[in-house]
Amino acid sequence: MTKLADATFSAGGSEYSFTAYSADTSFNDVSAVYIFTKRTVKDGKGSHSFLYIGETGELGTRISSHEKWGCVNSHGCNCICVHRIDGDRARSDIETAFRNAHNTPCNDQ
């Protein structure tokens, strides 16, 4: 895994800690909320444009065969941000909060 940085993103009135990885990272099957992003760095500070927001109980399997690779790549995806969290309900609630807070070009909305 190529870790790029730690990031904190807000949604639904809460802040969540994510780890940013390069888009070519292979993941283990862990439970997580993930965000495909276009990461830019200016003056040593990174920023992210959200492209797709999702959640899964098997991150490695989900990312390796994701149906949205074409869409996110066409928007310049170079990063996958991961917030590890157990529990189907917790993952779903956080994903929903992020999808409600951020308009992404690759989520079907």
Side-chain angles (χ1 to χ4, degrees):
M1 290 186 207
T2 305
K3 179 181 174 180
L4 301 173
D6 293 316
T8 301
F9 301 132
S10 299
S14 297
E15 290 189 338
Y16 299 92
S17 297
F18 283 76
T19 303
Y21 297 94
S22 62
D24 61 353
T25 299
S26 294
F27 295 95
N28 294 326
D29 276 336
V30 297
S31 178
V33 173
Y34 62 94
I35 306 172
F36 289 108
T37 73
K38 180 178 181 181
R39 180 176 184 259
T40 55
V41 179
K42 185 175 182 180
D43 299 326
K45 183 172 172 104
S47 65
H48 296 265
S49 298
F50 290 5
L51 305 174
Y52 179 88
I53 300 163
E55 62 86 14
T56 183
E58 297 177 331
L59 185 64
T61 301
R62 180 75 176 116
I63 296 299
S64 68
S65 61
H66 209 287
E67 73 278 3
K68 294 295 184 174
W69 273 117
C71 183
V72 298
N73 283 334
S74 73
H75 289 279
C77 180
N78 59 4
C79 185
I80 303 170
C81 297
V82 177
H83 174 75
R84 290 186 58 176
I85 185 166
D86 291 324
D88 294 345
R89 177 68 186 254
R91 282 194 324 269
S92 179
D93 288 349
I94 293 170
E95 178 203 25
T96 298
F98 272 92
R99 287 185 66 179
N100 288 339
H102 301 276
N103 187 21
T104 59
C106 297
N107 283 99
D108 297 327
Q109 298 179 353

